[in-house]
């Protein structure tokens, strides 16, 4: 195993760990895109350029965008459901966050 | 389920699976050792048999072309399902504008952003077409080229904004590409059947090794995959981004916030 492959494997593990440790969904999306880029480079170093191209296009561009669009739609939907009472809204948000955390 | 129970379950699963995993892992060939017999024989035989330089394309579009047809249909079904679900909940109304989060300022797009996005989107599209066209000679092919071309659409969204993106990206065209590509693939597989040969029989002239025209029927299959994948991913992006729109006659409170937001950026 060359130093390049070893380094990229280590980087893949580290960036994967970052995806798990980032708790804010938006940061998680970008961490995931970074992880996809590292995986693409790893595939390239392992002489699989076909897979590397697919991984970079799907894992770094398309999937993160789908997540971002979904997060934006959720944020707008929540904003639409706002009532006159801010305390009640905050309680609702907290309940939703708890539900999302639980689902994770 | 309490964390204690989860740990107990994890320990049980590990105890059951770990010996088997270890045994398989230790019996595997050394890391990076090119000992797979099938791969070696493909490398040795296919340049003679099919005149192509990219073995991955030869395996995908010819040697196991029928599997690829299944994968293609899987992508078609997944994207169609997502489209039906999202459009079913949202409706097919046209009079919409980009959604906006109340209270967040709307910052006008810089000219430099528009310019960079237009240049980059064109280059991305050209690169995608090139990767798809050279599928038989260099790494890449229909799937990779298609995804790259579709991801260029994102740069259009970034540069042109919602209204410009909607006029530039007609989703019926994308849907036609998606379905048309799949039909072309089915025809490539089915026409030899009618003539009495096995499915996907490579009846076209094979062409020159390392030439743009090489591989015979593989070129048609590659083009079918490229069309279908571009259409599928483009449609997926359109459908997901449409989720962030809102009807043009949405409540006026959002409109007020919107104007408030732009005012704030101007001052």
């Amino acid at each position: 195993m060359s130093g390049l492959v070893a380094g990229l494997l280590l980087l893949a593990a580290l960036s994967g760990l970052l995806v798990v440790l980032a708790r804010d969904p938006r940061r998680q999306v970008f961490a995931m895109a970074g992880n996809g880029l590292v995986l693409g480079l790893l595939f390239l170093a392992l002489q699989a350029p076909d897979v590397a191209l697919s991984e970079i296009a799907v894992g770094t561009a398309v999937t993160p965008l789908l997540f971002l669009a979904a997060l934006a739609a959720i944020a707008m939907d929540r904003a639409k459901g706002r009532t006159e009472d801010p305390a009640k809204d905050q309680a609702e948000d907290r309940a939703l966050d708890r539900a999302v955390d639980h689902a994770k | 389920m309490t964390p204690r129970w989860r740990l107990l379950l994890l320990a049980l699963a590990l105890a059951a699976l770990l010996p088997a995993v270890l045994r398989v892992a230790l019996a595997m060939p050394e890391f990076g050792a090119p000992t797979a017999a099938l791969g070696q024989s493909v490398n040795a035989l296919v340049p003679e048999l099919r005149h192509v330089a990219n073995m991955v394309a030869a395996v995908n579009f010819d040697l196991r072309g029928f599997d690829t047809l299944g994968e293609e249909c899987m992508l078609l079904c997944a994207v169609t399902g997502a489209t039906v679900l999202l459009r079913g909940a949202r409706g097919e109304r046209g009079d919409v504008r980009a959604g906006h989060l109340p209270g967040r300022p709307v910052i006008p797009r810089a000219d430099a952003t528009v310019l960079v996005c237009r240049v980059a989107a064109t280059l991305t599209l050209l690169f995608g077409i090139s990767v798809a066209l050279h599928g038989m000679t260099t790494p890449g092919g229909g799937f990779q080229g298609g995804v790259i071309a579709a991801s260029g659409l994102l740069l259009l969204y970034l540069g042109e904004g919602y209204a410009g993106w909607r006029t530039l990206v007609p989703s019926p065209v994308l849907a036609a590409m998606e379905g048309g590509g799949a039909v072309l693939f089915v025809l490539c597989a089915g026409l030899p059947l009618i003539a009495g040969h096995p499915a996907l029989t490579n009846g076209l002239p094979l062409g020159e090794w390392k030439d743009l025209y090489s591989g015979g029927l593989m070129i048609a299959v590659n083009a079918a995959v490229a069309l279908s994948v571009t259409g599928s991913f483009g449609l997926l992006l359109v459908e997901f981004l449409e989720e962030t729109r809102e009807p043009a006659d949405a409540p006026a409170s959002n409109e007020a916030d919107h104007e408030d937001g732009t005012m704030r950026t101007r001052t």
Side-chain angles (χ1 to χ4, degrees), chain B residues 206-241:
Chain B
L206 288 176
E208 290 286 315
W209 188 59
K210 282 192 178 173
D211 196 29
L212 197 60
Y213 183 87
S214 58
L217 187 69
M218 267 186 249
I219 293 171
V221 175
N222 185 44
V225 170
L227 276 179
S228 186
V229 168
T230 313
S232 300
F233 275 85
L235 203 60
L236 203 62
L237 293 175
V238 170
E239 289 305 322
F240 266 76
L241 285 171

